[in-house]
Amino acid sequence: MNTYPDSIKNAIAALCHLPGLGPKSAERLVFYLIKNGNGMADDLIKHLTAIKRDIQVCNICGNIATTNPCTLCTDPKRDQSTLCIVAEPQDIIIIEKTGDFRGRYHVLGGLLNPVDQITPEKLRIQQLVDRVKNNNPAFKEIIIATNPDLEGETTALYIKRQLQELSVVVTRLATGLPMGATIEYADEVTLSSAFKGRQRMN
């Protein structure tokens, strides 16, 4: 029985590791690259190689950047009294576009999800607690900017409990983000409203 060459099978298998790509979608992508010649594949290889070479994870906030620490952590003009907690680096880009937040960030690297076996130990929650404890000057407000869905709410409540012994105000984005919405797809006006309407977590 005929089968694909190993190079094609390996490429399909590798693409299947990407979120949202099943075997059929991966197969279509591989054959699209083959059909459109080597130029597109070469460009893809070049850009992925550049990402691997140039991109680092900031050891302070967990953001992706070309420097470590990142420019957001080293910028002296940013407000050092407020810390915004987000799930992924992409959320920082969206929040920065609003212009309503000029403090520091902390990237968790995901959200709590027992079904997918994402436990607190797999996220940067302990690093967050240590950072809040040891930061000088001390943070006055922690803004939890996780998505208003089940995973986001679970993560927010867990973080609130971890920080409750520390003398810091913990707030949560509220107005403007309906239940089930995601920050990634929120427009700037909606997200701006959410920041202005954030509420203290009890």
Side-chain angles (χ1 to χ4, degrees), residues 52-67:
K52 183 178 179 180
R53 181 188 66 237
D54 300 335
I55 299 302
Q56 306 176 60
V57 176
C58 176
N59 60 11
I60 296 176
C61 71
N63 190 22
I64 54 171
T66 55
T67 60

Side-chain angles (χ1 to χ4, degrees), residues 14-196:
L15 286 172
C16 282
H17 287 30
L18 297 175
L21 277 184
K24 284 295 182 185
S25 296
E27 182 181 52
R28 282 195 294 271
L29 281 175
V30 169
F31 278 93
Y32 180 84
L33 291 172
I34 293 172
K35 179 180 177 182
N36 287 276
N38 292 328
M40 185 176 291
D42 288 342
D43 282 346
L44 185 58
I45 291 169
K46 179 180 72 174
H47 296 312
L48 290 175
T49 301
I51 288 174
K52 183 178 179 180
R53 181 188 66 237
D54 300 335
I55 299 302
Q56 306 176 60
V57 176
C58 176
N59 60 11
I60 296 176
C61 71
N63 190 22
I64 54 171
T66 55
T67 60
N68 187 15
C70 71
T71 55
L72 291 174
C73 287
T74 57
D75 184 354
K77 295 181 180 179
R78 297 191 74 91
D79 179 7
Q80 297 187 47
S81 69
T82 56
L83 182 68
C84 181
I85 302 171
V86 296
E88 301 289 356
Q90 303 94 298
D91 298 331
I92 293 179
I93 302 300
I94 304 299
I95 292 171
E96 283 295 290
K97 287 181 179 178
T98 69
D100 287 304
F101 180 73
R102 294 294 299 165
R104 307 290 180 173
Y105 289 97
H106 187 89
V107 181
L108 297 173
L111 295 170
L112 293 175
N113 189 335
V115 175
D116 292 335
Q117 298 183 332
I118 302 177
T119 58
E121 296 74 27
K122 294 185 177 180
L123 302 178
R124 299 182 70 254
I125 293 177
Q126 187 56 52
Q127 291 93 323
L128 168 67
V129 175
D130 293 341
R131 186 178 177 189
V132 174
K133 281 182 180 178
N134 301 322
N135 200 65
N136 186 20
F139 292 117
K140 295 179 180 178
E141 181 185 7
I142 307 294
I143 304 170
I144 302 180
T146 54
N147 294 328
D149 55 16
L150 181 59
E151 290 80 12
E153 291 297 323
T154 300
T155 305
L157 289 173
Y158 182 86
I159 291 172
K160 168 63 176 173
R161 287 197 296 269
Q162 298 304 303
L163 298 176
Q164 64 186 1
E165 300 299 324
L166 306 177
S167 57
V168 61
V169 173
V170 179
T171 59
R172 179 92 169 96
L173 295 191
T175 306
L177 282 176
M179 180 63 73
T182 59
I183 288 176
E184 181 180 1
Y185 297 111
D187 61 83
E188 294 170 27
V189 174
T190 299
L191 198 53
S192 175
S193 176
F195 261 95
K196 292 172 182 174

